[in-house]
Amino acid sequence: MKILNIGSINIDYVYEVDNFVKSGETIPSNNFKVFLGGKGLNQSVALAQAGSQVFHAGNINIKDDNIKKELIKWNVNIDYIKEVDESTGHAIIQVNKNGENSIIIHGGANRAFESSQIDKILQNFNQGDILLLQNEINKIPEIIEKAANRGMRIFFNPAPMTKEVLNYPLSLVDYLIVNESEAKKLSKNNIDYDEIIYYLKNKYSNTSILLTLGEKGSIYFNKNEYLKCEAVKVKAVDTTAAGDTFIGYFISYLSKKKEIKDCLLIASKAASICVTKKGGAISIPKNTFII
Ligand code: RIB
């Protein structure tokens, strides 16, 4: 069983601020750093740090090929990373005093996937192999349909959540991984957790759903199962990539046939370590610090 992540690669420009900038305001930043990130790249790094072999398929600009060297250092396979003319994707991230973030992404190369490229990648993966996707690249519906035709197990994290997601072929997705705001938008803006769960369980009846709630923990459910896991309490300095860490670790341990409750617990511990460090991919811990 192989794990393929077709996902974004971003350069993160991170500004530490007292409070997020408001409309019409100009504010000074207390600190500025550049990190490697992107929900796709972060989730591949989390899978690798959790001990899984992961193939990351993504696009970067020709002049940023140092990103490939970094990924190799993290033990992420780069056979399916393509160099393109578009600029590498980037993110402008504000991190406030509570460690919370506010992010703008610019797709660039992440949105330059072509159908022929997707066919070439997918022909190397088959029945039972895992495909992980986020919503920072183009051609997601096509990728889901083609991967489902090959019998791959599809994990989809619809982040960032856009209105287009509602028209994606989500019934072909085996695992949907959402945070609170994504879950609300997917369930016609239901506010109450019970209503959200009821709606999603019935609407996506062949899908298992993992709802991540930050410091309130996580909930895993499908038509037959319901499991809740508490979050590990820590002082957050930067929550960037915490969700990505959770997802990578959850999938890694699920693929190693661990029970769901253990996957949730390990993922939760990994995410709790991530938030105590600054940055995206660089803050994702190795599993030796967790188990
Ligand atoms: O989930 C965190 C990531 O979201 C950042 O690394 C940034 O690049 C955005 O994609």
Side-chain angles (χ1 to χ4, degrees), residues 210-265:
L210 178 52
L211 174 60
T212 59
L213 302 169
E215 57 187 23
K216 286 176 268 167
S218 55
I219 301 173
Y220 173 92
F221 60 93
N222 55 37
K223 58 181 176 228
N224 304 314
E225 290 172 287
Y226 176 95
L227 275 109
K228 187 166 187 341
C229 179
E230 297 301 323
V232 180
K233 299 267 179 286
V234 285
K235 167 125 182 59
V237 298
D238 182 357
T239 53
T240 309
D244 301 328
T245 304
F246 192 101
I247 292 169
Y249 264 82
F250 178 83
I251 296 174
S252 174
Y253 281 87
L254 192 70
S255 75
K256 293 174 200 154
K257 309 234 178 303
K258 286 269 182 202
E259 284 187 35
I260 299 286
K261 71 171 172 35
D262 296 325
C263 297
L264 292 173
L265 191 64

Side-chain angles (χ1 to χ4, degrees), residues 8 10 12 36-39 42 91 93 103 105 136 240-241 244 280:
S8 57
N10 286 341
D12 289 350
L36 260 189
K39 294 185 198 306
N42 293 341
I93 305 183
I103 305 178
I105 53 168
E136 290 189 340
T240 309
D244 301 328

